[in-house]
Amino acid sequence: MSFPLLTATAALPAIGAVVTAAVPAARRTAAKWVALAFSLGTLVLAGIALARFEPGGDRFQLTESHAWIKDFGVRYELGVDGIGVALMALTALLIPFVILAGWHDADPLENTSSRWRPTQGFFALILMVEAMVILSFEATDVFLFYILFEAMLIPMYFLIGGFGDRAHSGSDENAAAQRSYAAVKFLLYNLAGGLIMLAAVIGLYVVAGSFSLSEIAEARANGSLSMSTSTERWLFLGFFFAFAVKAPLWPLHTWLPNAMGEATSPIAVLLTAVVDKVGTFAMLRFCLQLFPEASKWATPVILVLALISIVYGALLAVGQRDIKRLIAYASISHFGFIVLGIFAMTSQGQSGATLYMVNHGISTAALMLVAGFLITRRGSRLIADYGGVQKVAPVLAGTFLIGGLATLSLPGLAPFVSEFLVLVGAFAAYPAVGIVATVGIVLAAIYVLVLYQRTMTGPVKAEVQGMADLKARELVVVVPLIALLLFLGVYPKPLTDIVNPAVRHTMSDVQKKDPQPEVEAAK
């Protein structure tokens, strides 16, 4: 039997979580290095999987299949297409930077017992989230995916509620209350979505007699799967609701600004750049593949929700006074673009949506992590508490600017390619939708440039005097992310070559073809 590469890629961080948690309490630094070593090992395995993936080959590759719960037809079934392997690689890439950026985030506070902020637990939880997210991108059994979809909420709940941002304007009691509120809201929203999805998963098994994507697809192809229109639509809504909460899509988005605001900056990156991608990925893998007719039926409403997310999220970002909440609302706007690209039902739109998932992860990580370094130095998340930072910390200001320009999709940086393809795909199928979506581009320029102007330019505020520039560890975090933004901005072909065949399969699932341009005949 061939080496189970997909299992190993997910198992390594899970093993790392156990080993990290077992490091003695007094060896906090050793625990950090152990966690970093396991995350780098996972990155190597993900790189091998990416190298072994053949874009022109079978739809699902590196497959594994073993009986799990025989009485219910549940299998441990794994496989990756171009979309899954790209997001798996993104996850493995970002986790080492998350660990390095949060190197001191769980260190004991002064006059506080270390057991109240266990360093080992902090890094072990990060690795556990990584293991579950990677396995969710690999799962081709619906029940296995559901288990992972729900299980990843547990470590994220503790990361948000137990290791919150120390830069809080209120008292310690108020900060703890805000963290608790954000963590509980995150958990309740996502649990509600998961419970509705569970009912749909059970309904799918009753109708299809299987949880396996490949078996369901085969049954649909040979005509042995009988699913009425109303049943398919109800099942689609059950799946889509859970994914829309995770994504997050308006109006199910309100948990995200609270969670990102109260979490540490690295955990905010883990949440929006890694965990939330499971929602949009699942729309492509499960909603469109399992329920093609229902997906087309729901498209008009979903496009409206995506447009609201784009404009609403950007408008609220413009009005924010908190740096981290501004980035959170910007992410809501960006997720609107991703959903728009998916349900535009064009190859350009879906390719753009997949690239957007990857590029948004890199750009948001760069911007949020630099913002975290800035907030740690000043001890405040409020924009008004900054000014003139570029004069005292020019490298920090420069990297912050690049991260911001990537967020507004400046040509030459990776997100521009994604956003352009999404808009092209939307214009081709729904011109009015494409026109409204461009409002998000204008608003993005406003909130990013105003943020930079108010924090980095102008007179140097007294509280900013003497602020240290980025240190070696912080540069190790930021520089590779910026290099990736530049590389994929001018040469996205390696990524598009992997993604496009998977997009063609998805378009075939929903039996959609790209609209043909209307050209007048020559006279």
Side-chain angles (χ1 to χ4, degrees):
M1 184 176 67
S2 61
F3 179 71
L5 182 57
L6 297 186
T7 294
T9 306
L12 188 61
I15 296 170
V18 174
V19 174
T20 302
V23 174
R27 304 293 299 274
R28 291 191 302 272
T29 302
K32 299 174 185 178
W33 284 107
V34 168
L36 180 61
F38 273 96
S39 70
L40 291 173
T42 305
L43 177 58
V44 170
L45 290 179
I48 294 172
L50 189 63
R52 289 183 57 185
F53 184 83
E54 299 178 6
D58 296 336
R59 179 171 191 172
F60 291 112
Q61 301 179 32
L62 308 176
T63 55
E64 302 173 33
S65 183
H66 308 281
W68 183 18
I69 309 175
K70 292 183 178 180
D71 292 342
F72 296 99
V74 179
R75 299 186 63 81
Y76 176 79
E77 198 167 81
L78 307 181
V80 286
D81 59 3
I83 299 169
V85 77
L87 292 175
M88 181 180 72
L90 170 70
T91 302
L93 172 71
L94 291 181
I95 296 302
F97 298 127
V98 167
I99 290 173
L100 280 172
W103 201 252
H104 298 298
D105 285 356
D107 288 349
L109 297 170
E110 293 182 5
N111 303 319
T112 302
S113 173
S114 63
R115 64 175 177 269
W116 296 111
R117 294 184 66 86
T119 304
Q120 288 84 342
F122 178 75
F123 292 102
L125 289 171
I126 292 174
L127 290 175
M128 188 56 67
V129 172
E130 179 183 22
M132 293 179 182
V133 171
I134 287 177
L135 201 56
S136 70
F137 291 140
E138 299 171 347
T140 56
D141 182 278
V142 177
F143 189 83
L144 173 61
F145 174 83
Y146 170 77
I147 294 296
L148 298 164
F149 186 83
E150 290 290 86
M152 69 180 68
L153 301 180
I154 299 171
M156 283 305 307
Y157 168 80
F158 287 110
L159 285 169
I160 296 168
F163 301 92
D165 193 349
R166 299 180 183 183
H168 201 285
S169 57
S171 63
D172 290 342
E173 293 79 8
N174 183 52
Q178 290 294 328
R179 288 198 301 271
S180 178
Y181 172 78
V184 170
K185 189 174 184 179
F186 159 80
L187 188 63
L188 291 179
Y189 266 68
N190 283 274
L191 279 177
L195 288 174
I196 292 174
M197 180 183 169
L198 176 60
V201 168
I202 295 171
L204 177 66
Y205 180 74
V206 171
V207 173
S210 175
F211 291 115
S212 170
L213 281 179
S214 58
E215 291 181 4
I216 295 173
E218 183 179 353
R220 189 186 296 277
N222 61 30
S224 61
L225 176 60
S226 176
M227 188 183 301
S228 68
T229 300
S230 60
T231 299
E232 180 175 342
R233 291 177 179 180
W234 280 112
L235 294 178
F236 167 85
L237 291 174
F239 278 78
F240 180 79
F241 182 85
F243 303 152
V245 172
K246 182 83 78 178
L249 185 68
W250 184 93
L252 306 171
H253 68 285
T254 59
W255 61 268
L256 183 66
N258 296 103
M260 287 185 66
E262 298 305 323
T264 65
S265 293
I267 300 310
V269 169
L270 182 65
L271 180 60
T272 191
V274 175
V275 173
D276 287 353
K277 297 300 187 300
V278 176
T280 47
F281 162 80
M283 291 179 189
L284 278 165
R285 171 163 287 188
F286 297 102
C287 285
L288 271 61
Q289 185 172 345
L290 292 174
F291 316 110
E293 293 303 320
S295 297
K296 290 185 283 188
W297 162 75
T299 289
V301 174
I302 295 173
L303 291 180
V304 171
L305 296 179
L307 287 178
I308 294 174
S309 291
I310 291 169
V311 178
Y312 174 82
L315 282 173
L316 288 185
V318 170
Q320 288 303 305
R321 297 181 297 173
D322 183 308
I323 296 174
K324 292 171 68 177
R325 289 179 71 90
L326 184 153
I327 298 172
Y329 280 110
S331 289
I332 291 170
S333 181
H334 295 148
F335 276 107
F337 275 107
I338 295 172
V339 175
L340 173 62
I342 292 171
F343 284 90
M345 301 287 187
T346 59
S347 58
Q348 299 98 330
Q350 292 189 357
S351 292
T354 305
L355 293 179
Y356 217 130
M357 290 186 232
V358 175
N359 294 333
H360 171 264
I362 300 170
S363 62
T364 298
L367 181 60
M368 178 61 87
L369 293 178
V370 176
F373 298 148
L374 176 69
I375 291 168
T376 299
R377 285 160 167 75
R378 174 65 178 85
S380 173
R381 307 198 310 246
L382 298 178
I383 297 173
D385 289 342
Y386 296 88
V389 173
Q390 68 179 13
K391 296 179 181 177
V392 296
V395 177
L396 189 154
T399 53
F400 189 83
L401 177 61
I402 296 174
L405 293 176
T407 298
L408 64 81
S409 300
L410 183 77
L413 296 173
F416 169 76
V417 180
S418 327
E419 200 162 277
F420 178 78
L421 285 173
V422 167
L423 289 174
V424 168
F427 271 115
Y430 305 96
V433 171
I435 291 170
V436 175
T438 57
V439 175
I441 300 175
V442 178
L443 294 174
I446 294 173
Y447 63 69
V448 167
L449 296 178
V450 169
L451 171 64
Y452 183 83
Q453 182 184 42
R454 294 181 62 188
T455 56
M456 301 295 166
T457 65
V460 180
K461 290 198 172 184
E463 296 82 1
V464 175
Q465 290 282 4
M467 178 180 287
D469 214 335
L470 292 183
K471 300 176 182 177
R473 172 179 60 85
E474 296 165 333
L475 288 171
V476 169
V477 172
V478 176
V479 171
L481 295 174
I482 291 177
L484 271 174
L485 290 173
L486 291 169
F487 175 77
L488 293 176
V490 298
Y491 190 63
K493 187 176 183 297
L495 194 53
T496 56
D497 285 347
I498 294 172
V499 166
N500 286 342
V503 168
R504 287 194 290 271
H505 283 296
T506 304
M507 291 286 290
S508 176
D509 289 336
V510 293
Q511 298 179 351
K512 294 284 288 186
K513 296 182 179 180
D514 290 330
Q516 296 299 314
E518 297 180 4
V519 181
E520 293 185 4
K523 296 182 179 179

